Amino acid sequence: MPSFDTDVPALLLRLDPNPFHHGTLGAIRSLGRSGIEVHVVAAAAGGPVDRSRYLHRSHELPAPPVGDIPLLEKLCDISERIGRPAVLIPMDDRGAIVAARLAGRLLGRYLLPDQPADLPERVADKAELARLCGELDVPHPATVIPGSAQEAAEAATDLGLPVIAKWSRPWLLSPSTGLRSTTLVRTPDEARRLYERSERAGSALLLQRQLPGGPDTDWFFHGCFTHGGGCLIGGSGRKERAWPLRTGLTAVGRWLPNPQVERASLRLARHLGYRGILDLDFRRDAHGRYHLLDFNPRPGAQFRLFTDSSGLDVVRALHLDLTGRTVPGRRSTPGRVFRAENYALLSAVTAFAERPRTALPNVTRGCTEVERAWFATDDPMPFLAMTGAWLRRGARKGAYRVRAAAPGSAPHTAGAVTTHRVGASQQP
């Protein structure tokens, strides 16, 4: 194992209110097992993640919505409690964007990658990403930013229905809007009505040509970069199963070398002079080109997939880099499999229900090591807490559906835009 500066703690920042964010648990375990004191400040305190034996302390955020100034005050307050500088690691896009904006005011309290304050916001912005791909000639799905509701309807038809609709800055979406960051639009009228909600969404609407999915089409790249876009550690992986099916987050993924994905990712990081952790999503088209779909300026939830034989991963590499320690050369172990047990189960059951006569593929066949998101023999409580919470949630949903199906129940509201989750950077 590399030599860590265990006198420097880590603070994980998560503004996403999802209490089942297994990426945060992975970071807690990775750093905690290295002897580093781990703190978490999160919008969803008290969830299964907080049950980890490797978590030193959990800190609650102010009541939402959390603006930059209240968050700055909270981070300063936590710094006083910790009593010494700590490595700050955002675990979601909004956290990464705000942390970069506040970096100059957090000097002396936290260690953060030295890069332009607006860089995480630029790469996380879907419209900016489309323009960046055009500049670098990186394949990207054909994208239109309509200027009116009528243009939205026309663009949807021109791109070829159904199309993907995305809000340019999804971190600005309020839960009260009922809008999803990504939507499948099936008719011109749906595109028109979605555009009319732009003001509530807080950012521009993008319409994007849908690339067909299927086996071997969805890939990702995780990496940690130092000064000038130099790659400390990185790897490409394939999404074997997703939840929701075919279009959601990685339920099961495999570490597989992919030169095209790796070259595109390294080129992009070097062009930007990116420093820190990134998570990129790609989809292969019918011509074998890999289109960049999303740029997430933080660890992906499945980052522990890319753990080499010495235990090095992107989170550990960032701590080493920011504390001035040497990051050792990678001892690659491609073939590892990552499994998020809760989402993998949902994906498998749903796939079996859709294809009852077809056996499900054994996605772990030939694998020497499986990295599980929740279960760990040295840290079992998060898995037990997650299982109990999911069973309770399932019981509540079942009871709700029984009541909704009962005679005299209120009908569903008609006329709303039909939205289908087709992929997002955050977990449901």
PDB file of all heavy atoms in Angstrom, residues 12-44:
ATOM      1  N   LEU A  12     -15.548  14.481   2.906  1.00  0.00           N
ATOM      2  CA  LEU A  12     -16.335  14.179   1.718  1.00  0.00           C
ATOM      3  C   LEU A  12     -17.573  15.070   1.720  1.00  0.00           C
ATOM      4  O   LEU A  12     -18.303  15.115   2.711  1.00  0.00           O
ATOM      5  CB  LEU A  12     -16.751  12.709   1.700  1.00  0.00           C
ATOM      6  CG  LEU A  12     -15.619  11.683   1.883  1.00  0.00           C
ATOM      7  CD1 LEU A  12     -16.185  10.268   1.851  1.00  0.00           C
ATOM      8  CD2 LEU A  12     -14.554  11.851   0.814  1.00  0.00           C
ATOM      9  N   LEU A  13     -17.792  15.760   0.611  1.00  0.00           N
ATOM     10  CA  LEU A  13     -18.914  16.703   0.478  1.00  0.00           C
ATOM     11  C   LEU A  13     -19.927  16.143  -0.508  1.00  0.00           C
ATOM     12  O   LEU A  13     -19.586  15.856  -1.652  1.00  0.00           O
ATOM     13  CB  LEU A  13     -18.392  18.058  -0.011  1.00  0.00           C
ATOM     14  CG  LEU A  13     -19.445  19.088  -0.444  1.00  0.00           C
ATOM     15  CD1 LEU A  13     -20.317  19.504   0.737  1.00  0.00           C
ATOM     16  CD2 LEU A  13     -18.761  20.308  -1.076  1.00  0.00           C
ATOM     17  N   ARG A  14     -21.179  15.998  -0.059  1.00  0.00           N
ATOM     18  CA  ARG A  14     -22.235  15.524  -0.959  1.00  0.00           C
ATOM     19  C   ARG A  14     -23.504  16.364  -0.763  1.00  0.00           C
ATOM     20  O   ARG A  14     -24.131  16.324   0.292  1.00  0.00           O
ATOM     21  CB  ARG A  14     -22.550  14.051  -0.709  1.00  0.00           C
ATOM     22  CG  ARG A  14     -23.375  13.434  -1.835  1.00  0.00           C
ATOM     23  CD  ARG A  14     -23.736  11.974  -1.590  1.00  0.00           C
ATOM     24  NE  ARG A  14     -24.817  11.859  -0.620  1.00  0.00           N
ATOM     25  CZ  ARG A  14     -24.706  11.312   0.579  1.00  0.00           C
ATOM     26  NH1 ARG A  14     -23.523  10.840   0.972  1.00  0.00           N
ATOM     27  NH2 ARG A  14     -25.734  11.228   1.391  1.00  0.00           N
ATOM     28  N   LEU A  15     -23.864  17.115  -1.809  1.00  0.00           N
ATOM     29  CA  LEU A  15     -25.064  17.945  -1.768  1.00  0.00           C
ATOM     30  C   LEU A  15     -26.278  17.220  -2.336  1.00  0.00           C
ATOM     31  O   LEU A  15     -27.399  17.656  -2.154  1.00  0.00           O
ATOM     32  CB  LEU A  15     -24.826  19.251  -2.542  1.00  0.00           C
ATOM     33  CG  LEU A  15     -23.662  20.107  -2.018  1.00  0.00           C
ATOM     34  CD1 LEU A  15     -23.529  21.380  -2.838  1.00  0.00           C
ATOM     35  CD2 LEU A  15     -23.843  20.438  -0.543  1.00  0.00           C
ATOM     36  N   ASP A  16     -26.050  16.108  -3.029  1.00  0.00           N
ATOM     37  CA  ASP A  16     -27.134  15.259  -3.520  1.00  0.00           C
ATOM     38  C   ASP A  16     -27.831  14.609  -2.314  1.00  0.00           C
ATOM     39  O   ASP A  16     -27.174  13.974  -1.490  1.00  0.00           O
ATOM     40  CB  ASP A  16     -26.528  14.193  -4.440  1.00  0.00           C
ATOM     41  CG  ASP A  16     -27.526  13.106  -4.830  1.00  0.00           C
ATOM     42  OD1 ASP A  16     -28.729  13.323  -4.677  1.00  0.00           O
ATOM     43  OD2 ASP A  16     -27.079  12.044  -5.294  1.00  0.00           O
ATOM     44  N   PRO A  17     -29.168  14.732  -2.194  1.00  0.00           N
ATOM     45  CA  PRO A  17     -29.850  14.209  -0.999  1.00  0.00           C
ATOM     46  C   PRO A  17     -30.066  12.701  -0.987  1.00  0.00           C
ATOM     47  O   PRO A  17     -30.686  12.184  -0.063  1.00  0.00           O
ATOM     48  CB  PRO A  17     -31.201  14.948  -1.035  1.00  0.00           C
ATOM     49  CG  PRO A  17     -31.442  15.231  -2.487  1.00  0.00           C
ATOM     50  CD  PRO A  17     -30.088  15.498  -3.079  1.00  0.00           C
ATOM     51  N   ASN A  18     -29.567  11.979  -1.975  1.00  0.00           N
ATOM     52  CA  ASN A  18     -29.758  10.525  -2.021  1.00  0.00           C
ATOM     53  C   ASN A  18     -29.033   9.840  -0.860  1.00  0.00           C
ATOM     54  O   ASN A  18     -27.805   9.878  -0.774  1.00  0.00           O
ATOM     55  CB  ASN A  18     -29.228   9.994  -3.363  1.00  0.00           C
ATOM     56  CG  ASN A  18     -29.244   8.477  -3.428  1.00  0.00           C
ATOM     57  OD1 ASN A  18     -30.039   7.836  -2.746  1.00  0.00           O
ATOM     58  ND2 ASN A  18     -28.377   7.916  -4.232  1.00  0.00           N
ATOM     59  N   PRO A  19     -29.773   9.158   0.040  1.00  0.00           N
ATOM     60  CA  PRO A  19     -29.119   8.502   1.190  1.00  0.00           C
ATOM     61  C   PRO A  19     -28.446   7.181   0.829  1.00  0.00           C
ATOM     62  O   PRO A  19     -27.767   6.594   1.671  1.00  0.00           O
ATOM     63  CB  PRO A  19     -30.287   8.266   2.156  1.00  0.00           C
ATOM     64  CG  PRO A  19     -31.478   8.100   1.264  1.00  0.00           C
ATOM     65  CD  PRO A  19     -31.244   9.020   0.091  1.00  0.00           C
ATOM     66  N   PHE A  20     -28.638   6.704  -0.421  1.00  0.00           N
ATOM     67  CA  PHE A  20     -28.065   5.417  -0.836  1.00  0.00           C
ATOM     68  C   PHE A  20     -26.900   5.613  -1.801  1.00  0.00           C
ATOM     69  O   PHE A  20     -26.691   4.797  -2.699  1.00  0.00           O
ATOM     70  CB  PHE A  20     -29.148   4.551  -1.497  1.00  0.00           C
ATOM     71  CG  PHE A  20     -30.298   4.234  -0.588  1.00  0.00           C
ATOM     72  CD1 PHE A  20     -31.502   4.914  -0.725  1.00  0.00           C
ATOM     73  CD2 PHE A  20     -30.178   3.289   0.406  1.00  0.00           C
ATOM     74  CE1 PHE A  20     -32.566   4.632   0.112  1.00  0.00           C
ATOM     75  CE2 PHE A  20     -31.241   2.999   1.246  1.00  0.00           C
ATOM     76  CZ  PHE A  20     -32.440   3.678   1.109  1.00  0.00           C
ATOM     77  N   HIS A  21     -26.135   6.679  -1.620  1.00  0.00           N
ATOM     78  CA  HIS A  21     -25.029   6.963  -2.537  1.00  0.00           C
ATOM     79  C   HIS A  21     -23.845   6.076  -2.184  1.00  0.00           C
ATOM     80  O   HIS A  21     -23.036   6.397  -1.316  1.00  0.00           O
ATOM     81  CB  HIS A  21     -24.650   8.441  -2.457  1.00  0.00           C
ATOM     82  CG  HIS A  21     -23.721   8.864  -3.542  1.00  0.00           C
ATOM     83  ND1 HIS A  21     -22.357   8.816  -3.416  1.00  0.00           N
ATOM     84  CD2 HIS A  21     -23.970   9.308  -4.798  1.00  0.00           C
ATOM     85  CE1 HIS A  21     -21.798   9.237  -4.533  1.00  0.00           C
ATOM     86  NE2 HIS A  21     -22.753   9.535  -5.394  1.00  0.00           N
ATOM     87  N   HIS A  22     -23.719   4.951  -2.897  1.00  0.00           N
ATOM     88  CA  HIS A  22     -22.674   3.983  -2.547  1.00  0.00           C
ATOM     89  C   HIS A  22     -21.276   4.491  -2.891  1.00  0.00           C
ATOM     90  O   HIS A  22     -20.288   3.987  -2.344  1.00  0.00           O
ATOM     91  CB  HIS A  22     -22.935   2.635  -3.212  1.00  0.00           C
ATOM     92  CG  HIS A  22     -23.151   2.678  -4.687  1.00  0.00           C
ATOM     93  ND1 HIS A  22     -24.398   2.689  -5.258  1.00  0.00           N
ATOM     94  CD2 HIS A  22     -22.267   2.689  -5.715  1.00  0.00           C
ATOM     95  CE1 HIS A  22     -24.282   2.714  -6.567  1.00  0.00           C
ATOM     96  NE2 HIS A  22     -22.990   2.711  -6.873  1.00  0.00           N
ATOM     97  N   GLY A  23     -21.171   5.497  -3.760  1.00  0.00           N
ATOM     98  CA  GLY A  23     -19.863   6.070  -4.035  1.00  0.00           C
ATOM     99  C   GLY A  23     -19.258   6.721  -2.804  1.00  0.00           C
ATOM    100  O   GLY A  23     -18.039   6.642  -2.570  1.00  0.00           O
ATOM    101  N   THR A  24     -20.087   7.368  -2.007  1.00  0.00           N
ATOM    102  CA  THR A  24     -19.615   7.975  -0.765  1.00  0.00           C
ATOM    103  C   THR A  24     -19.108   6.899   0.196  1.00  0.00           C
ATOM    104  O   THR A  24     -18.069   7.057   0.846  1.00  0.00           O
ATOM    105  CB  THR A  24     -20.735   8.797  -0.109  1.00  0.00           C
ATOM    106  OG1 THR A  24     -21.182   9.802  -1.030  1.00  0.00           O
ATOM    107  CG2 THR A  24     -20.250   9.476   1.159  1.00  0.00           C
ATOM    108  N   LEU A  25     -19.845   5.799   0.285  1.00  0.00           N
ATOM    109  CA  LEU A  25     -19.402   4.689   1.143  1.00  0.00           C
ATOM    110  C   LEU A  25     -18.061   4.141   0.656  1.00  0.00           C
ATOM    111  O   LEU A  25     -17.168   3.850   1.466  1.00  0.00           O
ATOM    112  CB  LEU A  25     -20.457   3.585   1.152  1.00  0.00           C
ATOM    113  CG  LEU A  25     -20.107   2.330   1.945  1.00  0.00           C
ATOM    114  CD1 LEU A  25     -19.860   2.652   3.419  1.00  0.00           C
ATOM    115  CD2 LEU A  25     -21.212   1.278   1.801  1.00  0.00           C
ATOM    116  N   GLY A  26     -17.902   4.013  -0.664  1.00  0.00           N
ATOM    117  CA  GLY A  26     -16.635   3.530  -1.206  1.00  0.00           C
ATOM    118  C   GLY A  26     -15.478   4.429  -0.821  1.00  0.00           C
ATOM    119  O   GLY A  26     -14.386   3.947  -0.489  1.00  0.00           O
ATOM    120  N   ALA A  27     -15.699   5.745  -0.848  1.00  0.00           N
ATOM    121  CA  ALA A  27     -14.629   6.683  -0.484  1.00  0.00           C
ATOM    122  C   ALA A  27     -14.314   6.605   1.007  1.00  0.00           C
ATOM    123  O   ALA A  27     -13.147   6.687   1.411  1.00  0.00           O
ATOM    124  CB  ALA A  27     -15.038   8.103  -0.871  1.00  0.00           C
ATOM    125  N   ILE A  28     -15.343   6.470   1.835  1.00  0.00           N
ATOM    126  CA  ILE A  28     -15.119   6.331   3.279  1.00  0.00           C
ATOM    127  C   ILE A  28     -14.242   5.114   3.564  1.00  0.00           C
ATOM    128  O   ILE A  28     -13.260   5.179   4.311  1.00  0.00           O
ATOM    129  CB  ILE A  28     -16.468   6.207   4.017  1.00  0.00           C
ATOM    130  CG1 ILE A  28     -17.253   7.528   3.949  1.00  0.00           C
ATOM    131  CG2 ILE A  28     -16.245   5.799   5.478  1.00  0.00           C
ATOM    132  CD1 ILE A  28     -18.681   7.401   4.462  1.00  0.00           C
ATOM    133  N   ARG A  29     -14.594   3.984   2.959  1.00  0.00           N
ATOM    134  CA  ARG A  29     -13.833   2.759   3.207  1.00  0.00           C
ATOM    135  C   ARG A  29     -12.418   2.848   2.648  1.00  0.00           C
ATOM    136  O   ARG A  29     -11.455   2.418   3.294  1.00  0.00           O
ATOM    137  CB  ARG A  29     -14.575   1.572   2.591  1.00  0.00           C
ATOM    138  CG  ARG A  29     -15.817   1.160   3.372  1.00  0.00           C
ATOM    139  CD  ARG A  29     -16.618   0.129   2.610  1.00  0.00           C
ATOM    140  NE  ARG A  29     -17.693  -0.446   3.430  1.00  0.00           N
ATOM    141  CZ  ARG A  29     -18.681  -1.187   2.954  1.00  0.00           C
ATOM    142  NH1 ARG A  29     -18.725  -1.452   1.653  1.00  0.00           N
ATOM    143  NH2 ARG A  29     -19.610  -1.670   3.755  1.00  0.00           N
ATOM    144  N   SER A  30     -12.291   3.381   1.435  1.00  0.00           N
ATOM    145  CA  SER A  30     -10.977   3.454   0.805  1.00  0.00           C
ATOM    146  C   SER A  30     -10.011   4.269   1.651  1.00  0.00           C
ATOM    147  O   SER A  30      -8.884   3.835   1.930  1.00  0.00           O
ATOM    148  CB  SER A  30     -11.100   4.066  -0.589  1.00  0.00           C
ATOM    149  OG  SER A  30      -9.835   4.218  -1.188  1.00  0.00           O
ATOM    150  N   LEU A  31     -10.436   5.445   2.081  1.00  0.00           N
ATOM    151  CA  LEU A  31      -9.564   6.314   2.873  1.00  0.00           C
ATOM    152  C   LEU A  31      -9.417   5.795   4.302  1.00  0.00           C
ATOM    153  O   LEU A  31      -8.332   5.821   4.879  1.00  0.00           O
ATOM    154  CB  LEU A  31     -10.114   7.736   2.868  1.00  0.00           C
ATOM    155  CG  LEU A  31     -10.145   8.422   1.495  1.00  0.00           C
ATOM    156  CD1 LEU A  31     -10.948   9.713   1.559  1.00  0.00           C
ATOM    157  CD2 LEU A  31      -8.738   8.698   0.984  1.00  0.00           C
ATOM    158  N   GLY A  32     -10.516   5.335   4.882  1.00  0.00           N
ATOM    159  CA  GLY A  32     -10.466   4.857   6.260  1.00  0.00           C
ATOM    160  C   GLY A  32      -9.567   3.657   6.433  1.00  0.00           C
ATOM    161  O   GLY A  32      -8.838   3.538   7.430  1.00  0.00           O
ATOM    162  N   ARG A  33      -9.583   2.747   5.473  1.00  0.00           N
ATOM    163  CA  ARG A  33      -8.708   1.578   5.547  1.00  0.00           C
ATOM    164  C   ARG A  33      -7.238   1.960   5.398  1.00  0.00           C
ATOM    165  O   ARG A  33      -6.353   1.176   5.759  1.00  0.00           O
ATOM    166  CB  ARG A  33      -9.089   0.572   4.457  1.00  0.00           C
ATOM    167  CG  ARG A  33     -10.399  -0.155   4.720  1.00  0.00           C
ATOM    168  CD  ARG A  33     -10.878  -0.892   3.489  1.00  0.00           C
ATOM    169  NE  ARG A  33     -12.112  -1.640   3.740  1.00  0.00           N
ATOM    170  CZ  ARG A  33     -12.991  -1.962   2.805  1.00  0.00           C
ATOM    171  NH1 ARG A  33     -12.774  -1.599   1.546  1.00  0.00           N
ATOM    172  NH2 ARG A  33     -14.081  -2.641   3.110  1.00  0.00           N
ATOM    173  N   SER A  34      -6.972   3.145   4.871  1.00  0.00           N
ATOM    174  CA  SER A  34      -5.596   3.637   4.738  1.00  0.00           C
ATOM    175  C   SER A  34      -5.113   4.329   6.005  1.00  0.00           C
ATOM    176  O   SER A  34      -3.990   4.824   6.047  1.00  0.00           O
ATOM    177  CB  SER A  34      -5.506   4.615   3.561  1.00  0.00           C
ATOM    178  OG  SER A  34      -5.960   4.026   2.373  1.00  0.00           O
ATOM    179  N   GLY A  35      -5.971   4.396   7.016  1.00  0.00           N
ATOM    180  CA  GLY A  35      -5.604   5.050   8.263  1.00  0.00           C
ATOM    181  C   GLY A  35      -5.905   6.532   8.289  1.00  0.00           C
ATOM    182  O   GLY A  35      -5.484   7.243   9.213  1.00  0.00           O
ATOM    183  N   ILE A  36      -6.658   7.029   7.296  1.00  0.00           N
ATOM    184  CA  ILE A  36      -6.997   8.451   7.207  1.00  0.00           C
ATOM    185  C   ILE A  36      -8.310   8.704   7.934  1.00  0.00           C
ATOM    186  O   ILE A  36      -9.274   7.938   7.797  1.00  0.00           O
ATOM    187  CB  ILE A  36      -7.099   8.868   5.725  1.00  0.00           C
ATOM    188  CG1 ILE A  36      -5.739   8.726   5.039  1.00  0.00           C
ATOM    189  CG2 ILE A  36      -7.612  10.300   5.590  1.00  0.00           C
ATOM    190  CD1 ILE A  36      -5.803   8.777   3.532  1.00  0.00           C
ATOM    191  N   GLU A  37      -8.345   9.775   8.707  1.00  0.00           N
ATOM    192  CA  GLU A  37      -9.571  10.168   9.409  1.00  0.00           C
ATOM    193  C   GLU A  37     -10.554  10.743   8.394  1.00  0.00           C
ATOM    194  O   GLU A  37     -10.242  11.707   7.697  1.00  0.00           O
ATOM    195  CB  GLU A  37      -9.237  11.204  10.481  1.00  0.00           C
ATOM    196  CG  GLU A  37     -10.426  11.669  11.296  1.00  0.00           C
ATOM    197  CD  GLU A  37     -10.001  12.688  12.351  1.00  0.00           C
ATOM    198  OE1 GLU A  37      -9.190  12.331  13.227  1.00  0.00           O
ATOM    199  OE2 GLU A  37     -10.451  13.854  12.254  1.00  0.00           O
ATOM    200  N   VAL A  38     -11.760  10.148   8.325  1.00  0.00           N
ATOM    201  CA  VAL A  38     -12.733  10.529   7.298  1.00  0.00           C
ATOM    202  C   VAL A  38     -13.953  11.194   7.928  1.00  0.00           C
ATOM    203  O   VAL A  38     -14.571  10.642   8.843  1.00  0.00           O
ATOM    204  CB  VAL A  38     -13.182   9.318   6.468  1.00  0.00           C
ATOM    205  CG1 VAL A  38     -14.094   9.767   5.326  1.00  0.00           C
ATOM    206  CG2 VAL A  38     -11.980   8.556   5.920  1.00  0.00           C
ATOM    207  N   HIS A  39     -14.281  12.385   7.405  1.00  0.00           N
ATOM    208  CA  HIS A  39     -15.496  13.106   7.776  1.00  0.00           C
ATOM    209  C   HIS A  39     -16.395  13.207   6.545  1.00  0.00           C
ATOM    210  O   HIS A  39     -15.909  13.196   5.420  1.00  0.00           O
ATOM    211  CB  HIS A  39     -15.160  14.520   8.260  1.00  0.00           C
ATOM    212  CG  HIS A  39     -14.341  14.566   9.513  1.00  0.00           C
ATOM    213  ND1 HIS A  39     -14.849  14.973  10.729  1.00  0.00           N
ATOM    214  CD2 HIS A  39     -13.043  14.257   9.735  1.00  0.00           C
ATOM    215  CE1 HIS A  39     -13.896  14.926  11.642  1.00  0.00           C
ATOM    216  NE2 HIS A  39     -12.783  14.488  11.059  1.00  0.00           N
ATOM    217  N   VAL A  40     -17.698  13.318   6.779  1.00  0.00           N
ATOM    218  CA  VAL A  40     -18.666  13.501   5.691  1.00  0.00           C
ATOM    219  C   VAL A  40     -19.592  14.641   6.061  1.00  0.00           C
ATOM    220  O   VAL A  40     -20.077  14.709   7.203  1.00  0.00           O
ATOM    221  CB  VAL A  40     -19.491  12.224   5.437  1.00  0.00           C
ATOM    222  CG1 VAL A  40     -20.643  12.511   4.486  1.00  0.00           C
ATOM    223  CG2 VAL A  40     -18.618  11.120   4.857  1.00  0.00           C
ATOM    224  N   VAL A  41     -19.844  15.533   5.096  1.00  0.00           N
ATOM    225  CA  VAL A  41     -20.913  16.517   5.250  1.00  0.00           C
ATOM    226  C   VAL A  41     -21.857  16.289   4.083  1.00  0.00           C
ATOM    227  O   VAL A  41     -21.456  16.326   2.919  1.00  0.00           O
ATOM    228  CB  VAL A  41     -20.381  17.966   5.295  1.00  0.00           C
ATOM    229  CG1 VAL A  41     -19.527  18.307   4.087  1.00  0.00           C
ATOM    230  CG2 VAL A  41     -21.536  18.957   5.448  1.00  0.00           C
ATOM    231  N   ALA A  42     -23.120  15.981   4.398  1.00  0.00           N
ATOM    232  CA  ALA A  42     -24.037  15.528   3.353  1.00  0.00           C
ATOM    233  C   ALA A  42     -25.443  16.039   3.609  1.00  0.00           C
ATOM    234  O   ALA A  42     -25.842  16.314   4.747  1.00  0.00           O
ATOM    235  CB  ALA A  42     -24.039  14.007   3.271  1.00  0.00           C
ATOM    236  N   ALA A  43     -26.201  16.129   2.488  1.00  0.00           N
ATOM    237  CA  ALA A  43     -27.594  16.565   2.586  1.00  0.00           C
ATOM    238  C   ALA A  43     -28.462  15.488   3.218  1.00  0.00           C
ATOM    239  O   ALA A  43     -29.506  15.792   3.786  1.00  0.00           O
ATOM    240  CB  ALA A  43     -28.119  16.918   1.196  1.00  0.00           C
ATOM    241  N   ALA A  44     -28.060  14.223   3.088  1.00  0.00           N
ATOM    242  CA  ALA A  44     -28.845  13.119   3.636  1.00  0.00           C
ATOM    243  C   ALA A  44     -28.059  12.460   4.759  1.00  0.00           C
ATOM    244  O   ALA A  44     -27.398  11.448   4.562  1.00  0.00           O
ATOM    245  CB  ALA A  44     -29.175  12.114   2.538  1.00  0.00           C
TER     246      ALA A  44
END
